[in-house]
Amino acid sequence: MIELDENVTREMNKYLDGTTIEEIIYKNRKFFHFPAIFTTSQMDQDIEVLDLGNRAYNCLRRSGTNTLRDLITRNKTTDNESSKCQLKRHNRNLGEKTADEILIKLFYYSFLSQPEDEKKAYMKKVLESNELK
């Protein structure tokens, strides 16, 4: 089960009408989609900014994933493959729970990196990406 941060989900839910981020994630667990929108300088940040647990952090480091750019470009998905499958394919010994943690932390960081006036539009993209309207 994906463990969600109560403070971040509460903030996300402020921008959602008639649903919650928890419902969206759990309904689309296998193929949950979100836009990873970052500036160039954010893309060059170390993966430490995601505040990952030791297992996730070390697994990414061992695979040569050092920056957000590395994480995002190495794990681009096709229509037939989920982000989690891509992550697991590129990162040896990465389990389901750890892959979930990495993706959720990347999602949170992408949301929190948005300017305040853009967060509602970001959450609308998440809704559209997951076919919930």
Side-chain angles (χ1 to χ4, degrees), residues 93-111:
N93 299 324
L94 184 71
E96 292 282 324
K97 190 174 180 180
T98 306
D100 284 343
E101 176 193 352
I102 293 166
L103 292 173
I104 287 298
K105 295 279 185 131
L106 183 62
F107 173 50
Y108 285 170
Y109 191 70
S110 184
F111 170 75

Side-chain angles (χ1 to χ4, degrees), residues 4 9 13 16 36 58 74 80 82-83 97 113 119 125:
L4 302 176
T9 56
N13 289 338
L16 296 172
N58 291 334
R74 288 184 185 161
N80 300 335
S82 71
S83 299
K97 190 174 180 180
S113 297
K119 287 184 176 181
K125 289 177 187 175

Side-chain angles (χ1 to χ4, degrees), residues 43 45-48 50 52 56-75 86-87 90-92 94 102 106:
M43 290 286 280
Q45 289 180 316
D46 193 277
I47 57 171
E48 286 181 358
L50 298 179
L52 297 167
Y57 179 81
N58 291 334
C59 188
L60 290 177
R61 285 287 193 199
R62 275 193 303 274
S63 71
T65 302
N66 299 307
T67 64
L68 293 181
R69 181 180 315 283
D70 295 339
L71 179 60
I72 292 167
T73 57
R74 288 184 185 161
N75 297 292
Q86 278 282 50
L87 250 177
H90 292 292
N91 298 282
R92 200 168 66 91
L94 184 71
I102 293 166
L106 183 62

Side-chain angles (χ1 to χ4, degrees), residues 10-132:
R10 187 178 313 117
E11 185 176 351
M12 288 177 170
N13 289 338
K14 289 189 320 190
Y15 301 102
L16 296 172
D17 299 323
T19 190
T20 66
I21 194 61
E22 296 92 341
E23 291 170 351
I24 296 168
I25 290 171
Y26 291 121
K27 183 174 182 182
N28 298 291
R29 182 166 178 168
K30 188 172 181 181
F31 288 100
F32 174 68
H33 298 283
F34 63 92
I37 302 171
F38 299 107
T39 64
T40 303
S41 62
Q42 287 171 324
M43 290 286 280
D44 293 330
Q45 289 180 316
D46 193 277
I47 57 171
E48 286 181 358
V49 298
L50 298 179
D51 193 30
L52 297 167
N54 287 337
R55 179 182 298 271
Y57 179 81
N58 291 334
C59 188
L60 290 177
R61 285 287 193 199
R62 275 193 303 274
S63 71
T65 302
N66 299 307
T67 64
L68 293 181
R69 181 180 315 283
D70 295 339
L71 179 60
I72 292 167
T73 57
R74 288 184 185 161
N75 297 292
K76 286 201 183 262
T77 62
T78 65
D79 289 340
N80 300 335
E81 189 168 38
S82 71
S83 299
K84 191 185 313 182
C85 291
Q86 278 282 50
L87 250 177
K88 288 175 71 175
R89 181 156 34 104
H90 292 292
N91 298 282
R92 200 168 66 91
N93 299 324
L94 184 71
E96 292 282 324
K97 190 174 180 180
T98 306
D100 284 343
E101 176 193 352
I102 293 166
L103 292 173
I104 287 298
K105 295 279 185 131
L106 183 62
F107 173 50
Y108 285 170
Y109 191 70
S110 184
F111 170 75
L112 293 170
S113 297
Q114 301 306 305
E116 280 303 312
D117 60 339
E118 307 249 337
K119 287 184 176 181
K120 185 169 181 75
Y122 180 83
M123 293 310 294
K124 183 177 181 187
K125 289 177 187 175
V126 170
L127 281 170
E128 291 169 354
S129 298
N130 291 284
E131 300 175 7
L132 292 175

